[in-house]
Amino acid sequence: MPVYSMTGYATAQSSTAQSAPETEARQDANSRLGVEIRSVNSRFLDLAFRLPDELRQTEPALRELLTGKLKRGKVEVRVSLESLSASSLRAPSPATLQRLGSLEDSIKSWLPQAAALSVADILRLATNEDKKPHDHSEELVKLATTALKELMSARAREGARLATMLLDRTAQLRALAALAVPMVPKLVELQKTRFLERWKDAMALGGGTALPEMAQDRALTEATAFAIRIDVAEEVTRLSSHLDEIDRLLASGGELGKRLDFLIQELHREANTLGSKSASLELTHISVDMKVLIEQIREQVQNIE
């Protein structure tokens, strides 16, 4: 399965010609139906619909369609329905105008402060008076299906780009870990040498009465304690294990954003521990570089479904 981003955009439009009889009441002879889907990152699946009043009844079908394909993200669906029929601007009949005037007078007798009907109000009411609405539900679902496929393709392309970037960052983390491991024995040997030098200086000041074997034993004991204190092998092993799991998840694809979130937290923990055990400036730099890379991974993982 591909890796899906939660960011995407898709749109689809269709023009329909209805087979209604040629009468003045035919208002939707030609219509343009449009669907627009926008998606951004979110912890959960959050759907929002912006539908014309005459298409409100299609929301459950659209919701079922989207929840069947999308698992996470803040998704907004906008639907537009535009009439292309010139008959929608026909002149109101005298009977219609008389009826609207009578209704307006009746309303104002009860509500004197009510605003007067505008020309736009009259045209809208006259246009919809004898309108026989066309059911666009089936067509809308088909159009939304097309837009959803386009959205999934866009999210998959963005997801592939994110996966490539994440694999590059995990490779850099492995390289940094490989640099840290050989530093520990060198630091231990350096600490042992320093202790022997300090021991010799102390013996010279005290008359040199201590045995060389005692100095060697003490240096070995100090070096062993130091090695245990700065050993990062366990942290590097766990870090490598987490990186292997990230690579495996990216290869398998699917819904993996939340699992990646957990692994990023574990990577942060290991990098912090490695930094706390740092006994040299080089190890400190490696720990800082690791944290920068992990933060870059965390930011991009927020966009993965």
Side-chain angles (χ1 to χ4, degrees), residues 20 64 82 121 206 211 233 236 249 262 273 285 293:
E64 182 179 0
E82 179 184 358
D121 294 333
L211 296 175
V236 171
L249 289 173
F262 171 76
T273 305
H285 287 163
L293 289 171

Side-chain angles (χ1 to χ4, degrees), residues 32-199:
R32 179 184 291 121
L33 188 63
V35 177
E36 182 183 86
I37 306 178
R38 300 173 181 267
S39 175
V40 295
N41 61 321
S42 177
R43 292 185 61 190
F44 308 101
L45 181 60
D46 182 9
L47 301 179
F49 296 90
R50 304 290 184 267
L51 307 176
D53 291 339
E54 57 268 34
L55 295 175
R56 289 289 182 186
Q57 74 278 6
T58 61
E59 180 174 332
L62 294 176
R63 185 177 297 275
E64 182 179 0
L65 176 66
L66 268 63
T67 54
K69 293 293 184 180
L70 307 178
K71 304 304 178 184
R72 294 177 66 196
K74 185 176 182 180
V75 183
E76 182 182 63
V77 180
R78 289 181 177 271
V79 177
S80 61
L81 180 60
E82 179 184 358
S83 176
L84 304 179
S85 175
S87 64
S88 61
L89 296 178
R90 74 185 191 278
S93 66
T96 299
L97 292 175
Q98 183 178 6
R99 186 160 52 251
L100 289 175
S102 176
L103 289 173
E104 183 179 21
D105 292 340
S106 176
I107 291 173
K108 282 195 170 184
S109 66
W110 289 94
L111 301 172
Q113 302 301 322
L117 286 174
S118 66
V119 174
D121 294 333
I122 295 173
L123 288 175
R124 176 173 53 82
L125 293 171
T127 298
N128 295 329
E129 181 185 13
D130 297 321
K131 183 178 177 181
K132 296 179 180 178
H134 175 72
D135 186 4
H136 293 275
S137 301
E138 183 177 352
E139 180 191 0
L140 176 56
V141 172
K142 291 181 180 179
L143 200 61
T145 302
T146 301
L148 180 58
K149 289 180 180 179
E150 183 181 339
L151 178 72
M152 296 295 291
S153 297
R155 285 166 59 126
R157 290 192 298 269
E158 178 66 12
R161 187 190 68 79
L162 292 176
T164 300
M165 188 280 293
L166 293 177
L167 290 173
D168 174 71
R169 298 302 187 273
T170 57
Q172 293 184 48
L173 284 171
R174 293 181 193 278
L176 289 174
L179 290 175
V181 173
M183 289 185 180
V184 174
K186 294 179 181 179
L187 290 172
V188 173
E189 186 62 29
L190 180 60
Q191 181 71 7
K192 180 179 178 181
T193 302
R194 289 174 178 172
F195 181 82
L196 286 173
E197 291 175 353
R198 291 199 301 269
W199 183 275

Side-chain angles (χ1 to χ4, degrees), residues 279-296:
S280 69
L281 188 59
E282 290 81 2
L283 271 176
T284 300
H285 287 163
I286 288 176
S287 174
V288 172
D289 291 342
M290 281 184 172
K291 292 177 182 179
V292 171
L293 289 171
I294 293 170
E295 183 61 24
Q296 291 176 358

Side-chain angles (χ1 to χ4, degrees), residues 227-259:
I228 294 174
R229 189 167 65 251
I230 70 168
D231 183 30
V232 295
E234 185 177 355
E235 286 74 20
V236 171
T237 298
R238 286 199 295 264
L239 188 141
S240 298
S241 176
H242 298 326
L243 293 176
D244 289 342
E245 181 64 10
I246 290 175
D247 290 349
R248 186 192 69 80
L249 289 173
L250 293 174
S252 62
E255 186 183 356
L256 47 87
K258 292 182 179 179
R259 284 178 287 180

